[in-house]
Amino acid sequence: MMNEEYICRCEEVTRKEIEEAIADGATTIAGIKKRTRAGMGLCQGRTCRRLVTQMLSKYKAPEEILPDTSRPPVRAITVEEIINGEDI
């Protein structure tokens, strides 16, 4: 079995999947994200965005690569935090 190189660890997206998305016409970070879910995990792309951008820059000038929209990372909460949380 061949070892796969994971680019997005949160969503377990491999280098091969991203390369296939680019070959299928993904020309933006958002396009790659929609096709592969890279950058949609717990860290919201903080870990993989740079690697995805580097991969895309082989096919597109770096200054043409627009940044993706991002959301603040989420964090897991305990049941105790839910029970003792504020009433809304």
Side-chain angles (χ1 to χ4, degrees):
M1 181 176 217
M2 200 167 98
N3 287 340
E4 295 179 338
E5 182 181 0
Y6 288 98
I7 300 299
C8 177
R9 294 178 289 177
C10 297
E11 292 293 321
E12 297 182 350
V13 179
T14 64
R15 176 177 293 278
K16 181 180 177 185
E17 290 173 299
I18 294 172
E19 288 171 347
E20 288 172 355
I22 293 169
D24 286 341
T27 59
T28 64
I29 294 174
I32 292 170
K33 187 177 186 179
K34 288 176 185 175
R35 287 175 171 83
T36 66
R37 295 191 53 80
M40 295 179 85
L42 188 62
C43 79
Q44 290 292 296
R46 290 181 191 255
T47 304
C48 64
R49 185 178 302 121
R50 185 175 51 86
L51 294 171
V52 172
T53 301
Q54 286 175 352
M55 291 178 70
L56 190 56
S57 70
K58 292 178 184 176
Y59 304 93
K60 193 172 185 178
E63 61 273 4
E64 294 177 1
I65 300 173
L66 301 174
D68 187 35
T69 58
S70 61
R71 295 181 177 93
V74 295
R75 70 172 182 85
I77 61 172
T78 65
V79 173
E80 183 177 311
E81 289 176 304
I82 295 170
I83 293 170
N84 296 330
E86 294 180 23
D87 290 286
I88 298 177

